[in-house]
Amino acid sequence: MTKKISTRRWFIAALLVAITIIATNIVFAESETGEEASAHFGLLSLATPFLAIVLSFITKQVVLSLATAIFVGAIILDGGNVFTAFLRTCDTYIVGTVTDSWNATLLVFILAVGGLIAIMSKMGGMQAMAIAMSKKAKNAKNSLLITWIMGLIIFFEDYANSLVVGPTMRPATDRERISREKLSYVIDSTAGPVTDLAPISSWTAYEIGMIAIAFSSVGYDGNAYGTFIQTLPYRFYNIFAIFMVLIVILMQRDYGPMYRAEKRARLQGKLYEDNAKPMMSKELDAMNVKEGAPLRMCNAVVPIVVFTVVTILALWYTGGGVDEPFNFTGIQNALGNADAATSILYSVIFTSILSIIMAVAQRIMSLKECIGIFVETELAHRTPQELSPLDQLIQYIARPVYERVPGNDNVKTFDRIRITVGLPRYQFNSWEALQNEVKKSQYEIYQRVIQRLETDRPFKRYGVPINFLEISNVTLLRDFSLEFIFELKEPKIN
């Protein structure tokens, strides 16, 4: 039955495209070229967005639908000539878009943000932030509420919002068995609207530029930024979308496909459907904490704060803020003329350099490792399929923590060692599947932990032979980690 429905959908999609192309040729049939009609296309101007939307629903293929809509739009622009429309689609509308300075800058920015997040993750900053957030997120409602609040805080760029909030809060929401659909809804319905409502953001800069162009075309000498600020109370979609997310979180009521997704996640432990293909899971799984890296929240907070501040300063600078008086009017004018794409590129490159310096200064990674991770994350991710099953299971092995029992004041000794092994949050569809895999590989994981302990410098300084230790407890924790506790063996007296 599924195959017949799929075939019927593809047939309807092909028929719809064919009818549109034929209608286009009929419209242009009366004129020798499309130049006469190009002055005013009438209803044909609605064909491309109509096709893109309808084909997306029919085929479930967004990229294919957009490409088809572009091709049909090229046919309209070329007066119904299918052959030249195909050529212009390739050499003008696709290549031209990619080589446009604005679009090229945004592409570089998106790639650089991926590298930045990889560095932050390898330093343990994202993991530390997730642990800190998860301590406050005592239940599903709190987890989603913190996700919503973080989305409001990172207001300067919607891409950065999704790329930072998503990886940070996924561990906490996974622990509470919140479906990926629900997490995606909360992040997406907050990132875009809050960026569009923010007085300073990449969207703001672009919209101010469009307002300025409109003013110039009609000969009106007005302040584009002031006009933008005046429109904020009337952005009803953005306002309602943000508050709708809050209402859904607080009421904990879902309906339709979202209800089914949440029911699946809560009852079966399946965070996404069996046939789902998460777009970012492989990339995020590759961004594991470097083995032995200390989990310090400052390694994530400092880059995020710097990213925000530098973005604001860059918007002011690219808008000619240096030549404007440093007052409210001058800042308004500067932001009204800002180049958002260039500004966010300045910010992400500067923050990436700072993150690399932090990683090297703390001896978490060498400079070569940092550059390799940054470039590899951008251009050639090493997917989990290239790793052994054990390497896929062990995300990181944290630095051993040496503890003394009350009454032991000798700082040169210890009574127990606590070591945490990070486990994947996205690879298994249920908690039970993860438990089974850990049990199956428990001995191999133990061997890796022993290797990590033997290479630890503090352990070497204590001078305790490894065979003097014994495991007192192994616990699989709900934060997707496996905790090993070693204690010194009791001496045997003959």
Side-chain angles (χ1 to χ4, degrees), residues 135-440:
K135 291 179 180 178
K136 298 182 181 297
K138 301 299 183 181
N139 50 48
K141 181 195 291 187
N142 287 353
S143 298
L144 291 175
L145 189 59
I146 292 173
T147 303
W148 180 76
I149 293 173
M150 287 188 66
L152 297 180
I153 293 173
I154 305 176
F155 59 84
F156 52 88
E157 228 294 317
D158 58 327
Y159 294 129
N161 189 308
S162 300
L163 289 171
V164 171
V165 177
T168 300
M169 292 307 302
R170 274 167 59 149
T173 56
D174 285 356
R175 177 171 57 84
E176 298 298 335
R177 295 191 176 190
I178 297 172
S179 68
R180 292 295 167 77
E181 293 90 334
K182 187 66 169 286
L183 178 61
S184 300
Y185 162 69
V186 173
I187 293 175
D188 187 67
S189 293
T190 306
V194 75
T195 304
D196 196 36
L197 286 172
I200 302 173
S201 71
S202 59
W203 284 29
T204 302
Y206 179 76
E207 291 180 44
I208 291 171
M210 294 296 99
I211 295 172
I213 292 174
F215 283 176
S216 177
S217 64
V218 297
Y220 176 69
D221 185 20
N223 185 282
Y225 185 75
T227 303
F228 167 80
I229 294 297
Q230 292 174 0
T231 65
L232 294 183
Y234 305 101
R235 304 193 174 210
F236 299 116
Y237 167 76
N238 298 324
I239 297 171
F240 291 155
I242 292 174
F243 279 99
M244 183 63 182
V245 173
L246 180 62
I247 291 171
V248 169
I249 293 173
L250 296 179
M251 294 184 65
Q252 300 188 73
R253 297 182 66 88
D254 298 294
Y255 51 88
M258 187 66 76
Y259 171 75
R260 293 192 292 271
E262 283 293 278
K263 186 176 179 180
R264 180 201 68 230
R266 302 296 176 88
L267 299 181
Q268 303 178 28
K270 295 183 178 180
L271 302 179
Y272 46 83
E273 292 182 348
D274 295 332
N275 59 348
K277 297 180 179 179
M279 296 179 66
M280 292 186 64
S281 61
K282 294 179 181 179
E283 285 77 1
L284 290 174
D285 281 338
M287 297 181 187
N288 304 322
V289 179
K290 189 178 187 299
E291 187 173 311
L295 301 182
R296 297 169 180 158
M297 196 161 59
C298 64
N299 287 333
V301 173
V302 171
I304 291 174
V305 171
V306 170
F307 192 12
T308 305
V309 174
V310 174
T311 298
I312 296 172
L313 293 176
L315 289 170
W316 172 79
Y317 174 77
T318 58
V322 176
D323 301 323
E324 295 284 346
F326 194 71
N327 52 32
F328 184 75
T329 303
I331 295 175
Q332 273 189 334
N333 294 332
L335 294 178
N337 299 318
D339 183 346
T342 304
S343 299
I344 56 180
L345 181 62
Y346 291 159
S347 180
V348 72
I349 296 298
F350 179 84
T351 309
S352 298
I353 294 172
L354 174 65
S355 298
I356 291 174
I357 293 174
M358 291 175 63
V360 175
Q362 298 175 71
R363 297 183 179 180
I364 297 174
M365 292 178 286
S366 65
L367 179 60
K368 183 179 180 180
E369 287 177 317
C370 290
I371 299 299
I373 291 169
F374 187 86
V375 175
E376 182 182 353
T377 304
E378 292 185 30
L379 303 178
H381 272 308
R382 185 176 60 163
T383 62
Q385 283 73 14
E386 298 175 0
L387 303 175
S388 68
L390 185 60
D391 288 329
Q392 292 182 46
L393 183 63
I394 300 176
Q395 302 291 289
Y396 66 89
I397 301 179
R399 180 174 296 173
V401 178
Y402 301 89
E403 300 175 346
R404 300 193 305 273
V405 298
N408 183 1
D409 299 326
N410 189 351
V411 295
K412 295 182 179 181
T413 63
F414 65 86
D415 295 291
R416 70 171 66 95
I417 304 174
R418 193 183 303 270
I419 300 180
T420 302
V421 178
L423 302 174
R425 297 172 175 82
Y426 325 116
Q427 189 172 328
F428 300 95
N429 293 333
S430 66
W431 180 257
E432 290 73 20
L434 176 59
Q435 284 180 315
N436 294 333
E437 187 63 29
V438 169
K439 289 179 181 178
K440 186 171 66 175

